Amino acid sequence: MIDVHCHLLPEVDDGPRTIEASLQLARRAVEEGVTSIVVTPHAYHPYFETRHHNVALEVAQLQQRLDEEGISLTLYVGQEIRIFGELVEALESGEAHSLAGSRYVLVELPSQSIPAYTEALFFQLQTAGYIPVIAHPERNHELALHPEKLHHLVSSGALSQVTTSSLTGQFGRQVRELALTFISNGLSQIIASDAHNVEHRDFNWRAAKQEVVNELGEEMWEQHLHFTEQILANKQIAMNPPRLPEKNWRGRWKW
């Protein structure tokens, strides 16, 4: 299994504070069935100053340590990039990293809003040959209130990534229902852990699988695993057109 969103590097952002904590988190990944991780520290985030980090070097150093410890994980370079106007230029210059060197770029929106320039920036990314992947849209306040905005972005060529912990209810019932709704309606094509530590932000892959299989079926789970493989292989993801979510008579999302 491949995880394309994980904060595994020590002493970089709000992930592991020590190398020992990184190793502990890596061991937990293996226990959960993960074989490959795209390491995605925060980049261009207002709360984390990470520009002085050489992500490629630090991922290589962590890979060496994992190999020495006998932890069977293959690491790839990536970043969770907070949306900003010069993102295309940063990618082209090598200052910012796509997911495993692919055309796919993990983009984080502010938790409460969608910047007015988002659609224009996504168009610039796609024109330059990249595909934006919106990180955890189910935890964005504006998208929760207006899922039609996510529908528009995905219909225009973006993808989005739901978090395993959202599916297991760690962020509350409403976030869980929205995550399942986004998946079932083709608004979110990727599932990833966004793991930070074993204490509070674990991988939760097995529990997330159970939720998706129980609610949406085994085929939906397998489809999402395939989409993640396509990202790592830098291949085009072929998906059905997204649908606009609907609510039932009780005001609950339908999936």
Side-chain angles (χ1 to χ4, degrees):
M1 192 158 52
I2 300 165
D3 196 338
V4 297
H5 184 178
C6 177
H7 297 264
L8 191 62
L9 288 181
E11 302 180 77
V12 174
D13 50 18
D14 55 345
R17 304 309 308 155
T18 64
I19 182 62
E20 288 75 20
S22 289
L23 296 175
Q24 184 182 23
L25 190 61
R27 291 189 180 96
R28 182 63 62 87
V30 174
E31 292 174 3
E32 289 275 322
V34 178
T35 57
S36 301
I37 289 179
V38 183
V39 182
T40 53
H42 286 288
Y44 303 93
H45 194 289
Y47 298 151
F48 308 106
E49 180 48 64
T50 59
R51 294 195 189 189
H52 63 284
H53 286 275
N54 185 327
V55 177
L57 176 61
E58 293 182 35
V59 169
Q61 291 172 339
L62 182 56
Q63 180 71 73
Q64 182 178 356
R65 186 64 187 274
L66 294 182
D67 295 342
E68 292 170 354
E69 297 286 334
I71 301 172
S72 299
L73 270 180
T74 302
L75 305 183
Y76 298 88
V77 176
Q79 285 176 319
E80 180 183 11
I81 304 172
R82 187 63 168 257
I83 190 170
F84 73 109
E86 291 73 43
L87 175 52
V88 174
E89 291 81 358
L91 288 164
E92 294 292 284
S93 68
E95 294 179 10
H97 297 283
S98 64
L99 295 174
S102 72
R103 73 191 77 179
Y104 298 94
V105 181
L106 186 64
V107 181
E108 181 187 35
L109 301 173
S111 60
Q112 296 296 315
S113 63
I114 305 171
Y117 61 87
T118 298
E119 184 176 353
L121 178 64
F122 281 10
F123 179 76
Q124 291 175 19
L125 280 166
Q126 291 171 269
T127 300
Y130 298 102
I131 299 175
V133 180
I134 303 168
H136 41 69
E138 76 280 7
R139 287 155 47 195
N140 178 278
H141 181 68
E142 189 169 347
L143 292 178
L145 293 176
H146 302 285
E148 69 274 8
K149 294 185 178 183
L150 181 61
H151 180 270
H152 177 70
L153 292 171
V154 173
S155 296
S156 300
L159 304 177
S160 77
Q161 169 259 306
V162 158
T163 303
T164 56
S165 297
S166 296
L167 291 166
T168 61
Q170 183 172 333
F171 296 102
R173 178 181 62 82
Q174 291 182 333
V175 172
R176 173 185 174 273
E177 291 182 354
L178 196 60
L180 288 166
T181 299
F182 285 171
I183 290 174
S184 65
N185 285 279
L187 297 176
S188 292
Q189 303 75 24
I190 309 301
I191 298 173
S193 73
D194 191 11
H196 284 63
N197 54 64
V198 297
E199 293 83 13
H200 309 294
R201 299 283 298 277
D202 207 343
F203 286 96
N204 292 315
W205 273 105
R206 291 175 180 170
K209 176 182 179 179
Q210 198 63 50
E211 290 291 334
V212 173
V213 171
N214 288 346
E215 299 290 348
L216 306 177
E218 181 80 32
E219 184 177 350
M220 183 69 76
W221 176 259
E222 293 297 330
Q223 180 185 74
H224 278 67
L225 293 186
H226 174 67
F227 286 163
T228 308
E229 293 170 354
Q230 296 296 91
I231 287 180
L232 202 61
N234 196 24
K235 295 182 179 179
Q236 189 72 31
I237 290 177
M239 59 186 190
N240 294 323
R243 300 182 303 275
L244 192 62
E246 298 179 352
K247 289 186 176 181
N248 61 22
W249 64 275
R250 293 182 176 179
R252 301 277 291 273
W253 291 113
K254 292 166 37 176
W255 61 74

